[in-house]
Amino acid sequence: MRGRTSNGGRRAADTAPLELGPLNELVGFHVHLVDVRLYQIFYERLAGRALTPGVFSTLLAIRENPGVRHGALADALMIQRPNMTTLINRLQRDGYVSRRPSADDKRWVVLFLTSKGERAVAQTLAAMAANDRAITSELSSAERRTLLALLRKLAQGLRAPLMVKKGRGRRPATLA
Amino acid sequence: MRGRTSNGGRRAADTAPLELGPLNELVGFHVHLVDVRLYQIFYERLAGRALTPGVFSTLLAIRENPGVRHGALADALMIQRPNMTTLINRLQRDGYVSRRPSADDKRWVVLFLTSKGERAVAQTLAAMAANDRAITSELSSAERRTLLALLRKLAQGLRAPLMVKKGRGRRPATLA
DNA sequence: TATTGTTATACTCTATAACTATA
DNA sequence: TATAGTTATAGAGTATAACAATA
């Protein structure tokens, strides 16, 4: 991160951490803090690499699911379909991905990695995994596993339209 | 979220979840999935409210730290200072926040809530807390507390420039 | 009539460099 | 010479509506 001061952007007057009050109890607040910081770290440390986190995730998901449909991929990665189209356009232009209409249903577009795409994923995988270990290096192995499990469970629960338990059955949550 | 299909955007062909392979082991990947989905949910459910998550967090942090300096606030919320300036400009224009130069150091700008700002935070707090409960409703109370604690620890560890333990002392992590 | 993927577009959030005023 | 905040600007990521092709 260019433009930072020599002590990493922390200034003397910052030593006393801010009181966050009720923000401390919000999962969403901390998820956002971490997500923003992880992107900063990625660009501080892995800048210059061809594969950004979004591109890498997309390529890896195609590798794990050859012939995956466009829309299914978008849903799995929580990317809107129009934005997935833009991303795949670029990846196809750059030779990482091939797309073709499905024989089963001509509306479908199915996706595959090219050999260049396979190579790029294989080359980047170790660096991505190492970076993920580095960013969680303040956690113990057990803590990291627990965090991962809880995030997976949370993400899974968030895929469906948001509901909350109340009385019998399930209905949309109210807020206030 | 407008534009979604009647069954919430899930299509019949999506029933088999995608294989994510090594992505399943990446904390950063899941943090990003959750963060994106939380923003979608916020805009599905709390659209029309004046206070977005970022605005709410900023106002609440000022409320908890009257007279906080501009830069300290930006650091705590992991917002770049130029972007904090833009945000505070808008909040001041709309009457939520007052800013004035500090007597201690005339370079500093210190921030306070107006009575309108205090009112807005108080009115929104319950809805924000309820929403945060709703989005974590698939987790048990114990799981939610654990997740929160681990996210706080992770966020705290990410504040400093990224280092990893290796041999004696600490040095910047290498990746590959 | 509904769904898939696309096109076009707008908006929000974040990043960077350069400037000022103060120290 | 360094720091705090600002201005200006660029870029990435995401959201929405409307469309053509197919079912």
Side-chain angles (χ1 to χ4, degrees):
Chain A
M1 188 180 225
R2 282 168 286 178
R4 279 231 165 153
T5 47
S6 54
N7 64 347
R10 309 308 140 200
R11 283 160 291 295
D14 294 355
T15 43
L18 253 56
E19 178 55 52
L20 295 179
L23 290 176
N24 265 319
E25 303 306 318
L26 298 183
V27 170
F29 173 73
H30 289 91
V31 167
H32 184 64
L33 283 193
V34 170
D35 192 45
V36 169
R37 184 70 184 119
L38 291 186
Y39 267 78
Q40 291 175 344
I41 290 170
F42 179 85
Y43 285 108
E44 284 169 22
R45 296 186 32 167
L46 286 86
R49 288 188 187 261
L51 304 189
T52 63
V55 169
F56 172 73
S57 300
T58 301
L59 292 179
L60 186 52
I62 296 172
R63 184 184 83 165
E64 301 294 320
N65 304 272
V68 65
R69 288 192 306 105
H70 180 104
L73 181 64
D75 285 354
L77 301 182
M78 292 185 182
I79 294 175
Q80 300 286 327
R81 280 171 298 173
N83 301 327
M84 180 59 76
T85 295
T86 303
L87 178 52
I88 297 294
N89 282 345
R90 183 154 49 88
L91 292 177
Q92 185 178 32
R93 182 200 66 197
D94 294 346
Y96 294 107
V97 163
S98 72
R99 56 143 81 82
R100 60 175 179 77
S102 168
D104 298 347
D105 184 327
K106 288 179 190 164
R107 293 174 302 180
W108 297 354
V109 169
V110 293
L111 303 168
F112 300 88
L113 290 192
T114 63
S115 53
K116 177 178 176 182
E118 296 278 2
R119 239 178 356 257
V121 170
Q123 285 174 357
T124 309
L125 187 53
M128 287 289 183
N131 186 54
D132 206 76
R133 288 277 164 190
I135 62 180
T136 54
S137 62
E138 297 290 326
L139 304 182
S140 72
S141 291
E143 285 174 331
R144 188 178 186 283
R145 277 195 303 274
T146 301
L147 176 60
L148 208 39
L150 291 173
L151 286 172
R152 276 198 289 254
K153 185 170 182 178
L154 182 57
Q156 189 54 39
L158 291 173
R159 290 193 169 279
L162 189 58
M163 315 283 266
V164 291
K165 299 176 190 71
K166 200 152 192 176
R168 50 177 172 66
R170 295 165 71 79
R171 63 178 186 81
T174 52
L175 276 176
Chain B
M1 190 182 222
R2 283 167 284 176
R4 278 234 166 151
T5 47
S6 55
N7 66 346
R10 307 310 140 198
R11 281 162 290 296
D14 294 355
T15 44
L18 253 57
E19 178 55 53
L20 296 178
L23 290 175
N24 265 320
E25 302 306 316
L26 299 182
V27 171
F29 173 72
H30 289 91
V31 166
H32 184 63
L33 282 193
V34 169
D35 193 44
V36 169
R37 185 69 184 119
L38 291 186
Y39 268 79
Q40 291 176 344
I41 290 170
F42 180 85
Y43 286 109
E44 284 169 22
R45 298 187 29 167
L46 288 84
R49 289 189 186 259
L51 304 188
T52 63
V55 168
F56 172 73
S57 300
T58 301
L59 292 179
L60 186 53
I62 297 172
R63 184 185 84 166
E64 300 295 318
N65 303 273
V68 64
R69 287 192 307 102
H70 180 104
L73 181 64
D75 285 353
L77 301 183
M78 292 186 182
I79 293 174
Q80 300 286 329
R81 280 171 297 172
N83 301 327
M84 181 58 76
T85 296
T86 302
L87 177 54
I88 296 295
N89 283 345
R90 183 154 49 88
L91 292 177
Q92 185 178 34
R93 182 201 64 197
D94 294 344
Y96 293 106
V97 162
S98 72
R99 56 144 79 82
R100 60 176 179 74
S102 167
D104 298 348
D105 184 328
K106 288 179 191 166
R107 293 174 303 181
W108 297 353
V109 169
V110 294
L111 303 168
F112 300 88
L113 290 192
T114 63
S115 52
K116 177 179 176 181
E118 296 277 3
R119 240 180 353 259
V121 170
Q123 284 173 357
T124 309
L125 187 52
M128 287 288 182
N131 187 54
D132 205 77
R133 288 278 164 188
I135 61 178
T136 54
S137 63
E138 297 290 326
L139 304 182
S140 72
S141 292
E143 285 174 331
R144 188 179 186 283
R145 277 195 302 275
T146 301
L147 175 60
L148 209 39
L150 290 173
L151 286 171
R152 276 197 291 254
K153 185 170 181 178
L154 182 57
Q156 188 54 37
L158 291 173
R159 291 194 168 278
L162 188 58
M163 313 285 267
V164 290
K165 299 175 192 73
K166 198 151 193 176
R168 53 177 170 64
R170 295 164 71 79
R171 64 180 186 82
T174 53
L175 276 179

